[in-house]
Amino acid sequence: MSRFVKFLVLLLVTLLIVSCKSSPLSSVSVSPEKVLHGQVIDVLDGDTVKLRSDWHIYKIRLAGIDAPEKQQAYGVQSKIYLEHLIADKDVSIKVLSCDQYGRYVGKIYLNGKDINGEMIRSGYAWHYYHFDSNPVYAGFMLDAQRANRGLWQEAHPTPPWIFRKGRN
């Protein structure tokens, strides 16, 4: 590949990243078929990771889920479980959008397995039904509740969106 073509590819990728980081969610247009492939280099919490793909580092927010905050019950366990699933592993991410914090929002797949769904199914995240109407995720959450898995071992776990309101 010529230097000029490499330069153009790098320029286009940079522009995409900058547009994601500087745009509010409502004005971001992310191609629904955009897929990133790379290695998870850091798990920040139970619903956010850093991905190295080609020459770039991306912050990815897992779509459709909301994990406990680190200061909440099961917050640390949620992070540890996600690390167990995907830390230092090669994954694919179907990018769905970009959020107000400049993160890509997407579904993470490891060897075809839906990691977002696994976080809910195992009881380490809520289905974030305010932003996602996936009936499969709703079923995973109900099953986790009934089986008292993960955070559902608590009598009345506080959803992260309620916890965050209490801190502000």
Side-chain angles (χ1 to χ4, degrees):
M1 193 182 317
S2 75
R3 288 178 136 184
F4 180 72
V5 173
K6 286 181 182 178
F7 171 77
L8 283 177
V9 169
L10 182 59
L11 180 63
L12 288 173
V13 170
T14 303
L15 288 173
L16 178 64
I17 292 168
V18 169
S19 68
C20 181
K21 287 185 176 180
S22 63
S23 300
L25 181 60
S26 60
S27 66
V28 173
S29 175
V30 177
S31 169
E33 64 274 355
K34 175 148 182 73
V35 176
L36 295 172
H37 301 279
Q39 182 183 33
V40 175
I41 59 169
D42 195 9
V43 174
L44 303 176
D45 57 30
D47 55 29
T48 310
V49 302
K50 283 189 179 179
L51 178 84
R52 179 185 301 122
S53 179
D54 297 324
W55 304 312
H56 303 287
I57 306 288
Y58 299 95
K59 196 179 273 190
I60 310 292
R61 171 70 162 81
L62 280 68
I65 78 169
D66 201 4
E69 297 294 322
K70 289 183 215 175
Q71 305 83 5
Q72 265 186 283
Y74 289 90
V76 172
Q77 293 93 324
S78 177
K79 178 184 187 288
I80 290 170
Y81 188 69
L82 187 56
E83 286 173 335
H84 166 75
L85 292 174
I86 61 173
D88 300 318
K89 296 183 181 165
D90 292 324
V91 299
S92 298
I93 299 176
K94 182 178 180 188
V95 177
L96 304 175
S97 64
C98 184
D99 70 10
Q100 69 268 28
Y101 304 109
R103 302 174 296 190
Y104 283 130
V105 178
K107 287 192 174 187
I108 299 181
Y109 296 93
L110 175 66
N111 300 322
K113 182 176 186 177
D114 177 359
I115 298 301
N116 304 33
E118 174 58 23
M119 289 297 290
I120 298 168
R121 193 192 67 70
S122 64
Y124 289 108
W126 273 261
H127 173 221
Y128 208 1
Y129 51 83
H130 296 108
F131 298 100
D132 182 271
S133 60
N134 184 337
V136 173
Y137 285 6
F140 285 167
M141 191 167 89
L142 188 58
D143 290 344
Q145 287 172 315
R146 289 179 178 157
N148 295 318
R149 287 193 292 263
L151 62 91
W152 300 108
Q153 295 172 54
E154 296 276 315
H156 302 286
T158 302
W161 54 91
I162 302 293
F163 180 82
R164 287 189 295 267
K165 282 185 183 177
R167 286 190 319 190
N168 296 335

